[in-house]
Structure formats: structure tokens, C-alpha cells
Amino acid sequence: MTYAEAKERVVRLREDLQRHDELYYRQNSPEISDQEYDRLKKELAELEERFPSLQDTNSPTRQVGDDRAEGFETYRHREPMMSLDNTYSEEELKSFFQRVQKLFPSKNCAFLVEPKLDGVAVSLTYEKGRLVRAVTRGNGVEGDNITKNVQTIEEIPHRLAGSGWPEVMEVRGEIFMTFAEFSRINAEREKNGQALYANPRNLAAGTVKLLDAREVAQRDLQIVLYGLGYLSDEVFAEQAKIAPKLWEWGLPVADWTHLAGDFEEAWNAIQELDELRRTLPFPTDGAVLKLNDRDLQREAGATAKAPRWAIAYKFSAEQAETVVEEIVVQVGRTGAVTPVANLRPVLLAGTTVSRATLHNRDEIERKDVRLGDTVVVEKAGEIIPAVVRVVIDKRPQESEPYAFPTHCPECGTELVRLPGEAATRCPNLSCPAQVRRRLRHFASRVCLDIEGLGEAVVDQLVDRGMVKDLADLYDLQAEDLERLEKFARKSSENLVRAIDQSREKELWRLVHGLGIQHVGATAAKDLVRHFKSLDRLANADESELAELHGVGDVMARSIVTYFANEQNRELLARLKARGLKWEEGDDGKETTNGPLQGKTFVLTGTLPHHTREEATALIEKAGGKVTSSVTKKTDYLLAGTDAGSKLTKAQKLGITIIEENDLLKLTKT
Ligand code: IVH
């Protein structure tokens, strides 16, 4: 590989990894399996090692992912939360053992083998035996304060049992969900027409980041604690002694671990765990090996992102070989074109797989997947099966590289690819494939909830050219519908009535139903609460949107792009002319002449007598506005106890900092 080729590949890998990090950590909806992600990261690390001038401190190989989300206060860990190096190979695991042993030639290094739970990392702080805080890993240095959500987990003691705990103690562990709970919630979501979660990890991660703790309480989260951060007194000499002590103090720990004296013993324990995990009710994706002696751990130290005394051995996803019989492309609601391989059916991880995603154009080219190729497919968790690589030896002689379509297979429009995007798109908003998907979404339970307008009806309406966009729905007459399959007078009238009634549904349903990228039901509600009118939302500028609670930069950009589009503007005008609800009645939360009129507040920390929601309501009632981040435009920072980085920022910017009782005075007229 030449330097120029390596450079090009490194740039591509960094972009891809950043995108996958965003999907995994922030959106909780990964496109690729962990193993595929780890492979990309390894390829990047190897290139950076071979071509040192391509190294960069901002490279994903040097950083831990960042799970911080909008709407939470960030909190600095007393001791950073590190990531773990990982491997899928026995050889590499053995080298890790030898490396550590070589550091301490006069000692007999023992290693603790623990299950690697697949959930979200959390750090609990106990002070004088009381739970005071729960924080996500975030970027390793500071994370989101999710205390209220974590307090809903039944197994977590608010007070420690027993005695002998350090006065201040950060305990680290993993919050996860059982397969049974995952299926229960997804089944409910399916019934409601909501998007399904890919696997229990994503659902657990999505749940701890819900903004309403009452919603969290409705889902059964569990936790296992396996490590420590800052301790005011060092009370543990061995890793293996941590779990039994935590257990005595009432904290949940793994009920399987193995203390191994040498590599063979550790390897046997890993094999045992690999068998055992198939029977466990929660997801485990590997084993974690930790040097047992805590003094030696400290001596071994850490790299920028991971300790040198521990490693994760990850179990490989199941793979199988099969043949690509056809490559087709699918057009999604937003026009994204996804290539899919139709496969000769093959049994994989307990199910028959006959389709696998090829992700996007670059991925097909990189793997050089061709028609008739024998490929290795992989299925990890609930992720859509993916083509990992081609078995070149089995390639038919006359095969040709796959030519990615230049035009949309549905409407013939030339496909485009926007700079910085991995997806190729059909830019035609009237493309029947997109219209079909948009209509299905619009009519679904979580949007306008139009009874009788299911997929089969939508498909017929679009295929017969009776509906070309969302507004056309409102022009349908019962006589038109009678022409559809399985439709009679009565069912036609019922559907027309249901469509008619949808004009009166709450505004957030319409906002959600428009299908603006990244805008889910919760965001739609937040937007409507703030703007109260679709016209005002359509004219909002990016910075105002980005400041809103729960919105953020990516969504703000997407909203602005949507409303800037001429075709979308026309559609909105047509919907408005058809009498859809355009304004949300004032629910009395905001007034236009209160004492705080025009003042912007940011809240941080825990208030002594009010919840954040109550304080927000007080401010809004007095005419003020609450935003999530401190900027020069902020008038007041309302600070409670445990205020984090927002307080520091407000101090730097010279913003007035007030306490709860000051607010009560300010809101009095
Ligand atoms: S120890 C400094 N032990 O895996 C050591 N992590 O891939 C840091 N995880 O961020 C972690 N089970 O979220 C450790 N028994 C276990 C674990 C475990 C799951 C997670 C944890 C960590 C990630 C690293």
C-alpha cells in the first residue's frame, strides 16, 4: 500500500468510525455489529502504526466514544472512566498475559475472569453510605447526570448495608436489560407502530437517557457492579475481593467469576463462560480479564484510553457462508438508497437468513461484492445480518464488479450523494417509494393515527396514482376508495371519515408525521410546546432550534433543511389549505406579560424544594424561557446543589447566578 492510498483509507475510516460512534453512543441504533466496528478500528490502528505521520490525537483510535446527550447536566468523574482494549483472538489474549507477566517478572500474576455484560456503563457515587449520584461514562472525563433515572432501578440501594465502606466511593458497573424485557417493550412498540430497538443494549442505553424518570420506571432495568473509581480510603487489595464486599454492602454483582493463575486456566474459564452465556437471561458479549493485584494494576498504569492491566476478550458473532443471488437497492422514507444482497438461504444464529445489508455504495466497493460471489455473512444480536467479506477463491470466473445504480429504481431520478454523507439518495420527494413510506409513517399510530389506512391501502393508493403526497389524502372521496381492493361503500366512508378527523389531531402528531429526519415523537412534542404554531416552527432559525431542550445541532439542521425545501413548503401550504390543525392552543404555561418576560434561564443541579419541571413551569408561567445550554444570551443560571460544568461556564461569562429562593422572589408580581 502506498502512502497516498493509506492516507485516503485512513481519512475514510475515521469518517466512518465517527459516524458509527454517533449511531452507537448517541442514537442507540448501530448499523453494524460490534465486531465489524472493531475490525474497522483495528484496520485504522494498524495503518496509523505503519504510517506514523498519519497519526492524529483526534483519531477515534485515541479516544473513547462519547455518550453525552442533550437535556442532562454533565458531571466530572472524580476518577476518569476508561475503556478497555479488546481482542477476538486467543493469540492476542495470550500476548496480553505475557506482556503483563513480563512487567512483573518476580510475581505470579493471577487474573480475574468476569463476564462482559452488554449494556451501558455507569458510575455510582456513594457518600457516607448514601447514593448521591449516578453518571454515565460520557467522554470518560465527564458524563451525564442520570441519578433520577438510576434511582428507579429497584436493585440499587439508596443506602449501603453493613459497614466499612469508604466515606466517598465511586462504584462502576453496567446497566442492562434482560432479553425478556427487551421483547416485551419491542412487542408493545410494534403494536403502537413505533420503531423497534435493535437489541437490549440499545434499549437499555435509550432508557437511561429518557428525560422523564417516570417513563424509565416503567421499564425493568438491571445492574451489575464490577469495579471502582475514586475511593477516599483504599480498602481493596485484590480485584477478586471487590465483588464479595460490594455484595455485603447490598450492591448487585455478577454471580460468575473465575480467578485464574495462568493463561490456560483463564482460557478454560472463558470457554466455560461462552457455554454458560447461551443460557443467561441477559446479553454478554465477552469476558473481561483483570490483573488481580490492585497495587500491580496501579504500577501497570494505562494508555490514554484504557488500562494496561485489563483486556476484553469478545466472542465472535456467528458467521456462515452463502451465495449472493441478487443485489437490489431499497429506497427509504428520506430517499436513502440501501443496497441489499438477496442470498441463498442459510441457517445462522438460529434463524434462516436470506437477505443481508451491504450498507452503502462505499461498502460494496470496498468489499468488492459481486453477483454470484460466495460471501461470509454475520449476525450479531438483533442487528440486520451483514455481508462481512467475499470468499475470493470461490468467485465465478466471469464475474464483474457491481455497478451501483445511477438512477432511482422506483422513479428513475438521478441519484445524488451529498458531501459528508455515506448514503446515496433519491432527491425526488415525489418518488413513489418515498411517498409510500412517508404515508405509512404519517398514518401510523404514533403520528396522525388514521384508522384503516394500513400498509396495503397506502400501497394501492400510491401504485394507482391516487395519492402523490400527504395532502392528496385529504382530497379522497368515498367513491374513489370504492375502486380499491376489498373496499365497499361502508369501509370507504369510514376511511374518509377517519382521514377527515385527523385534521383535528394534536399538532405534534402532524409535526412527527411530516417525517423530518431525526424528529421523533418526543422532539415533536418539545417543538410544539415551544413554538405552538407550525408556521413559527417553519421559520425558526438554526441557533434558536439548537438551544431548545432535547433538540441539538443535528436535529436543528435537519429541521431547517426540511422547511427550506421548496417542495416541502408547497406541501405545507396544501396541508394548511386542507384545514389541518396548525396552532396549538395556549395551555396556560406561558404568558406574554409576566415579570420574567423576555428572560432566558438555564437550570443546573438539584433544587431544594422543586423539581426541574416545577421550576420550568414557574419560569414559563412568569413569561420566561428555559433553555438547556449556557450562552451569552442566558440571563440567569438557576443553580442547585451538585451544579456541574454549566455553573463554571456561567461564572466565566459573568451571568447572574441565582438560587431557588431568588427565583421565587423574581416570579412574584
Ligand atoms: S471494566 C478500567 N468489567 O465494557 C476498566 N467493563 O468495552 C473499565 N463492561 O466501558 C471497565 N462488563 O461498559 C469492565 N466486567 C466488566 C464489564 C465491563 C462490561 C463494559 C464497560 C466498559 C466496556 C469496555
Side-chain angles (χ1 to χ4, degrees):
M1 191 180 237
T2 66
Y3 175 80
E5 282 165 350
K7 188 170 175 187
E8 194 181 324
R9 183 75 191 130
V10 162
V11 170
R12 185 83 239 177
L13 283 167
R14 285 184 186 149
E15 274 171 20
D16 286 354
L17 284 164
Q18 258 162 25
R19 199 169 70 80
H20 293 306
D21 276 338
E22 165 79 21
L23 286 167
Y24 183 90
Y25 288 110
R26 308 260 190 157
Q27 301 186 22
N28 298 315
S29 63
E31 267 176 21
I32 59 173
S33 69
D34 289 3
Q35 192 164 0
E36 220 176 328
Y37 174 89
D38 291 332
R39 267 195 292 265
L40 294 176
K41 207 159 196 173
K42 191 164 177 205
E43 189 188 344
L44 177 59
E46 281 166 2
L47 285 173
E48 288 172 345
E49 204 178 303
R50 250 178 77 194
F51 300 91
S53 62
L54 292 174
Q55 285 173 11
D56 183 341
T57 46
N58 290 326
S59 172
T61 51
R62 307 274 191 98
Q63 292 183 332
V64 300
D66 191 349
D67 69 25
R68 285 173 302 169
E70 290 285 328
F72 289 94
E73 180 188 30
T74 51
Y75 192 88
R76 210 178 166 85
H77 300 294
R78 280 195 171 85
E79 204 163 282
M81 281 178 90
M82 303 212 109
S83 171
L84 282 175
D85 285 336
N86 71 45
T87 178
Y88 291 83
S89 112
E90 184 183 345
E91 271 317 292
E92 284 180 12
L93 190 66
K94 200 167 190 174
S95 321
F96 162 80
F97 258 76
Q98 290 163 346
R99 221 165 35 239
V100 177
Q101 185 63 71
K102 231 164 132 187
L103 283 176
F104 309 110
S106 63
K107 309 266 183 197
N108 261 337
C109 290
F111 287 85
L112 187 68
V113 186
E114 298 176 354
K116 182 168 171 357
L117 288 138
D118 199 10
V120 230
V122 69
S123 177
L124 307 180
T125 305
Y126 281 89
E127 287 178 12
K128 298 201 171 100
R130 288 171 64 113
L131 175 68
V132 294
R133 205 173 303 109
V135 182
T136 65
R137 187 173 73 172
N139 62 359
V141 176
E142 53 179 31
D144 286 338
N145 184 342
I146 53 164
T147 313
K148 287 223 165 63
N149 291 350
V150 167
Q151 279 168 338
T152 68
I153 303 177
E154 263 172 45
E155 295 166 284
I156 298 184
H158 292 209
R159 265 174 185 285
L160 294 178
S163 58
W165 11 267
E167 186 159 316
V168 180
M169 167 167 82
E170 285 180 334
V171 234
R172 267 94 195 248
E174 200 84 354
I175 294 179
F176 60 93
M177 198 174 262
T178 60
F179 293 113
E181 179 67 354
F182 167 73
S183 311
R184 182 189 72 80
I185 294 169
N186 254 357
E188 205 170 280
R189 290 178 70 85
E190 188 160 25
K191 228 171 49 201
N192 294 334
Q194 290 165 289
L196 301 188
Y197 282 97
N199 56 45
R201 190 219 86 96
N202 299 129
L203 182 46
T207 303
V208 300
K209 289 298 176 78
L210 288 172
L211 294 169
D212 185 347
R214 284 167 304 187
E215 272 183 63
V216 181
Q218 318 227 321
R219 299 178 180 177
D220 185 16
L221 289 173
Q222 308 204 5
I223 187 166
V224 155
L225 297 150
Y226 46 65
L228 302 166
Y230 171 81
L231 299 180
S232 54
D233 324 277
E234 184 49 80
V235 288
F236 300 99
E238 286 175 45
Q239 188 73 34
K241 297 274 165 67
I242 296 174
K245 232 340 160 230
L246 295 182
W247 177 250
E248 262 179 56
W249 295 337
L251 292 160
V253 296
D255 47 19
W256 183 100
T257 56
H258 188 100
L259 187 60
D262 57 30
F263 175 75
E264 273 63 43
E265 206 183 330
W267 185 247
N268 287 337
I270 291 174
Q271 302 309 305
E272 186 187 315
L273 179 63
D274 195 8
E275 281 305 311
L276 177 71
R277 75 185 181 108
R278 291 162 212 269
T279 64
L280 296 176
F282 47 79
T284 41
D285 57 349
V288 181
L289 281 86
K290 299 174 182 171
L291 180 59
N292 190 41
D293 186 315
R294 301 244 304 154
D295 282 333
L296 298 187
Q297 288 182 359
R298 267 181 288 271
E299 259 185 70
T303 64
K305 54 175 230 176
R308 289 202 180 83
W309 47 266
I311 195 166
Y313 173 82
K314 300 231 253 175
F315 299 121
S316 292
E318 290 196 41
Q319 297 189 332
E321 264 186 38
T322 186
V323 174
V324 177
E325 293 185 329
E326 193 186 13
I327 298 176
V328 294
V329 296
Q330 287 177 344
V331 186
R333 190 174 69 188
T334 56
V337 173
T338 309
V340 174
N342 284 333
L343 306 167
R344 182 172 299 159
V346 60
L347 197 65
L348 179 58
T351 48
T352 304
V353 170
S354 53
R355 288 159 80 74
T357 177
L358 292 161
H359 301 304
N360 54 47
R361 181 183 185 144
D362 286 349
E363 283 300 287
I364 299 198
E365 274 170 20
R366 189 170 71 81
K367 293 174 186 156
D368 188 16
V369 180
R370 305 180 183 189
L371 206 64
D373 267 346
T374 296
V375 289
V376 174
V377 283
E378 176 179 284
K379 185 161 167 22
E382 308 300 313
I383 303 262
I384 313 165
V387 171
V388 181
R389 65 187 163 83
V390 173
V391 185
I392 292 290
D393 297 346
K394 298 190 181 166
R395 171 167 281 171
Q397 269 183 353
E398 67 288 0
S399 87
E400 300 224 348
Y402 175 70
F404 200 86
T406 51
H407 291 77
C408 175
E410 285 269 349
C411 69
T413 307
E414 191 170 352
L415 299 175
V416 295
R417 185 155 164 197
L418 301 177
E421 271 203 355
T424 307
R425 287 181 196 279
C426 166
N428 172 18
L429 290 174
S430 313
C431 166
Q434 292 181 52
V435 175
R436 240 180 265 133
R437 300 218 172 206
R438 274 203 299 274
L439 275 169
R440 286 181 196 170
H441 172 71
F442 186 79
S444 71
R445 293 277 268 273
V446 281
C447 298
L448 274 296
D449 191 15
I450 305 178
E451 211 184 317
L453 192 56
E455 288 190 11
V457 181
V458 165
D459 289 356
Q460 287 192 66
L461 290 172
V462 177
D463 294 346
R464 291 168 187 236
M466 291 161 71
V467 173
K468 295 204 169 56
D469 70 10
L470 303 176
D472 282 348
L473 274 182
Y474 294 90
D475 297 338
L476 288 171
Q477 308 289 329
E479 301 82 77
D480 304 330
L481 295 176
E482 274 178 53
R483 302 208 307 264
L484 302 183
E485 266 167 45
K486 298 204 187 117
F487 265 69
R489 183 87 218 165
K490 187 132 182 63
S491 42
S492 304
E493 280 169 1
N494 286 346
L495 181 52
V496 169
R497 191 169 327 111
I499 294 173
D500 193 36
Q501 283 165 353
S502 73
R503 290 177 224 253
E504 285 306 315
K505 298 247 162 120
E506 300 109 302
L507 180 55
W508 71 263
R509 292 182 173 273
L510 173 57
V511 171
H512 187 208
L514 294 174
I516 306 168
Q517 229 180 330
H518 305 299
V519 178
T522 312
K525 285 180 195 170
D526 288 341
L527 291 167
V528 167
R529 202 171 302 128
H530 182 80
F531 290 102
K532 301 216 158 51
S533 127
L534 195 44
D535 290 331
R536 270 201 292 279
L537 169 62
N539 293 318
D541 67 30
E542 201 171 312
S543 57
E544 181 181 5
L545 285 162
E547 283 241 317
L548 276 184
H549 175 80
V551 174
D553 296 344
V554 177
M555 201 196 296
R557 194 160 319 124
S558 159
I559 295 169
V560 170
T561 313
Y562 179 90
F563 289 112
N565 180 295
E566 194 51 41
Q567 220 174 329
N568 288 334
R569 287 217 163 244
E570 271 170 32
L571 168 70
L572 286 166
R574 292 187 350 97
L575 284 170
K576 193 174 185 183
R578 278 154 188 75
L580 272 88
K581 191 173 174 101
W582 224 246
E583 311 264 333
E584 198 59 85
D586 203 326
D587 54 7
K589 265 173 106 187
E590 277 181 29
T591 67
T592 44
N593 52 8
L596 298 183
Q597 176 58 31
K599 299 288 182 215
T600 303
F601 286 72
V602 172
L603 275 46
T604 181
T606 315
L607 302 176
H609 305 105
H610 290 84
T611 63
R612 276 163 176 260
E613 290 72 28
E614 287 163 355
T616 305
L618 275 174
I619 294 167
E620 288 179 350
K621 196 148 182 247
K625 190 166 94 174
V626 177
T627 62
S628 56
S629 49
V630 176
T631 69
K632 276 187 274 178
K633 284 198 242 150
T634 309
D635 294 296
Y636 295 102
L637 180 85
L638 172 58
T641 48
D642 274 339
S645 55
K646 286 182 189 166
L647 180 59
T648 334
K649 188 162 178 201
Q651 283 163 339
K652 256 194 224 143
L653 293 174
I655 283 153
T656 313
I657 294 157
I658 58 167
E659 294 181 352
E660 190 186 73
N661 52 0
D662 302 317
L663 174 70
L664 302 180
K665 281 182 216 148
L666 283 173
T667 50
K668 282 217 179 83
T669 27

